[in-house]
Amino acid sequence: MRAPKRTLLEGIDSPADLRRVPEDKLPQLAQELRDFLIAAVSRTGGHLAAGLGTVELTIALHYVFDTPDDRIVWDVGHQTYPHKILTGRRDHMHTLRSAGGLSGFPRRPESVYDTFGVGHSSTSISAALGMAVAAARKRSSQQVVAVIGDGALTAGMAFEALNNAGDMDANLLVILNDNDMSISPNVGALSNYLARVLTGRVYSSVREGSKTVLSTIQPVFQLAKRVEEHIKGIVTPGTLFEELGFNYIGPIDGHDLASLVPTLRNIRSLTGPRFLHVITRKGKGYEPAEGDPCVYHGVTPFDPSTGKMESRPSGKTFTQVFGEWLCDEAEQDRRLIGITPAMREGSGLVEFSKRFPDRYFDVGIAEQHAVTFAAGLACEGLKPVVAIYSTFLQRAYDQAIHDVAIQNLPVTFAIDRGGLVGADGATHAGSFDLSYLRCIPNFVIMTPADENECRQMLHTAFCHDGPTAVRYPRGTGPGIATQNALSVIPLGTAEIRRSGTRVALLAFGTLLGAALEAASALNATVVNMRFVKPLDTATITALARSHELLVTIEENVVAGGAGSAVAEFLAHQQITVPLLHLGLPDEFLEHGSPKQLLAECGLDAAGIRRQVEAVLPGLARISESA
């Protein structure tokens, strides 16, 4: 019996194998790669549409450039699944985003082909520029390529890097993967032709030779330079990038390998700052993803024949609670303005954007601008609500301090993805917000334990005349029904949920459920602390005087977090009581399911009980010696 014929993709375990494939076979390889990607992600879930759009571009880059010696720096990482498949990780794609498996993003320890670890957008040009400068200092012929999407190019950081690179005359290629423009056959053919001409040896040699000759006749040279700029400005949209010092090429069809490969070859022979504009289609080659690339951006496991995804966990998510509250509050107060840095769907603002379009602002991937924009609105009597992921707020930390807190402005921060986020891993985990916000004067910080408390805290924050943060996790809560009526929670008030002896568990946020479960076996008191700042100092004082051990529990790093706030208060009051701080460890936690990660950190009910029980014998000895 004859063995089944191997596909082209099955013969590729590295880019070196790819470069041995005949050029006319690359379209066949692209189809095989696209089919494999759909099948793999249908089993694991993950980011799909972006990767489908970069299949041909990924093949062309690894085909033309000598990776890993040449460096390819990917932006964000959503688009890098084809890159992973072609760089020796094809047989491990079934482990994607699971504990101990492949990361959903480029990660340096995972592969020599992952030149820069990334999860947040708009970092690729800066990192690639650093690599290009390093190559120049080493007198290396190494090529450096940054691949950035049109969405990521909305961030100021990307333009800071472009401005710096053009001014330095760095040997760097920036590829704009533009999947937000349509490209007609006529425009595509013209653009592809122009790209080949503008990067060809004849054009380049004439261009450089003319510069040399005409530079001796300055008036003629300046005229020729302006003529070239105007001609290129007529037929290409690259005037901005030319002004920044880049040689702009494109736009070119990013799915046409017959144009991509020779264009990249030509560009590779050039030097200095180069900018290639590539048009792609998000979700390319898979009808459900092409029809709704937003839905198929990040997917649960699905049926590849129909595109139907597995149902998500039932119950209302905290993000949905926020979205409903925002619309309800906006109905009552016309001063409310909703702001998101390019996360309308993820942060729950879809309905608000439809019902209140004149009060909805998506500022792009520009977190710093989002916060200072909100501050300006607040200065003029409006009430801005900034919907932002915890890990993205880190990028606007200076603005939170300098532009909001110092001026004590009434800006509400609705902080989604607080704590562990599971499969997205360390780059997206909201591990630090309680620590980095708690030290800022004027901030009020709240941690709801359930859905209804989240709704009421958002209202409390909105009514407060100063900066506030309501921090809630990804996914569903314990299932507490939300009340339509909105009420203000008095600042700095905790509530005792269970009375016990010896041990008091002080829970901040949704770990209250685990604390209550552990407390049954420990006969412990459980407090829903609710506020990280201001603390309920009266309750803490009373518990310290009536219990042998106080245990703080938070889904935030222990260092500088809510538990630290409790310890600082007790030390200031010279109240001595044994303390046990439970929270996230002083390390970056990798991807895995939230349940698994919480257990590893000892933040599930069993872990809390185990750690408390380990301390109790020591307390008894201290008591006896006293």
Side-chain angles (χ1 to χ4, degrees), residues 122-419:
S122 315
T123 61
S124 60
I125 304 174
S126 296
L129 177 59
M131 294 176 187
V133 170
R137 290 183 65 84
K138 293 184 291 186
R139 300 186 183 280
S140 168
S141 60
Q142 180 183 76
Q143 296 282 325
V144 182
V145 183
V147 184
I148 188 167
D150 55 298
L153 206 61
T154 63
M157 183 177 180
F159 281 93
E160 290 172 13
L162 286 170
N163 182 57
N164 192 205
D167 183 62
M168 292 172 64
D169 198 34
N171 191 27
L172 170 69
L173 169 60
V174 175
I175 296 179
L176 172 58
N177 173 29
D178 185 348
N179 56 32
D180 198 36
M181 289 176 60
S182 60
I183 180 166
S184 66
N186 288 336
V187 174
L190 175 61
S191 298
N192 294 343
Y193 169 74
L194 286 171
R196 287 194 295 271
V197 169
L198 294 173
T199 61
R201 290 183 179 179
V202 174
Y203 173 83
S204 297
S205 60
V206 170
R207 185 173 186 263
E208 295 305 315
S210 299
K211 281 184 178 180
T212 302
V213 173
L214 295 176
S215 61
T216 59
I217 314 171
Q218 281 299 318
V220 179
F221 173 69
Q222 292 300 327
L223 175 62
K225 188 172 186 294
R226 285 197 298 270
V227 167
E228 180 193 31
E229 289 174 352
H230 285 295
I231 290 174
K232 292 181 76 174
I234 290 170
V235 294
T236 69
T239 305
L240 170 63
F241 304 107
E242 290 277 355
E243 292 296 329
L244 287 170
F246 281 75
N247 180 15
Y248 174 90
I249 301 104
I252 182 173
D253 185 349
H255 301 298
D256 183 2
L257 282 160
S259 296
L260 266 178
V261 170
T263 298
L264 285 172
R265 280 203 186 105
N266 288 337
I267 290 175
R268 194 179 189 279
S269 66
L270 303 178
T271 58
R274 292 145 289 158
F275 192 100
L276 175 62
H277 187 169
V278 173
I279 305 297
T280 62
R281 183 167 184 176
K282 205 169 184 180
K284 172 72 174 178
Y286 186 53
E287 187 174 342
E290 284 192 23
D292 199 338
C294 184
V295 168
Y296 285 85
H297 168 72
V299 298
T300 57
F302 62 94
D303 180 347
S305 63
T306 64
K308 185 177 180 181
M309 295 184 217
E310 289 183 5
S311 59
R312 297 181 185 269
S314 60
K316 189 176 292 186
T317 66
F318 281 96
T319 303
Q320 289 172 320
V321 171
F322 165 73
E324 292 172 1
W325 165 80
L326 191 67
C327 290
D328 292 345
E329 195 78 62
E331 288 279 9
Q332 302 301 316
D333 195 327
R334 293 187 57 81
R335 296 176 299 166
L336 186 150
I337 304 292
I339 302 168
T340 177
M343 293 302 297
R344 184 184 72 157
E345 288 77 15
S347 292
L349 278 79
V350 173
E351 183 64 22
F352 179 83
S353 69
K354 294 175 181 176
R355 289 176 57 183
F356 306 96
D358 59 327
R359 289 194 269 164
Y360 164 74
F361 294 91
D362 181 346
V363 300
I365 303 176
E367 294 87 356
Q368 293 173 297
H369 165 59
V371 174
T372 304
F373 173 54
L377 291 166
C379 283
E380 297 302 313
L382 297 176
K383 298 277 285 186
V385 176
V386 180
I388 192 167
Y389 287 9
S390 169
T391 187
F392 296 161
L393 182 56
Q394 293 165 188
R395 308 184 85 175
Y397 189 53
D398 179 64
Q399 287 68 32
I401 297 172
H402 187 274
D403 300 333
V404 175
I406 288 178
Q407 303 184 93
N408 200 28
L409 293 171
V411 176
T412 298
F413 291 90
I415 304 177
D416 204 333
R417 270 62 167 181

Side-chain angles (χ1 to χ4, degrees), residues 482-507:
T482 54
Q483 300 171 5
N484 289 331
L486 294 168
S487 58
V488 173
I489 301 172
L491 299 186
T493 57
E495 57 176 7
I496 295 177
R497 289 290 190 93
R498 186 186 191 279
S499 295
T501 59
R502 296 193 70 191
V503 178
L505 307 180
L506 281 58

Side-chain angles (χ1 to χ4, degrees), residues 165 376 437 456 471:
L437 289 176
Q456 305 308 324
R471 185 252 206 184

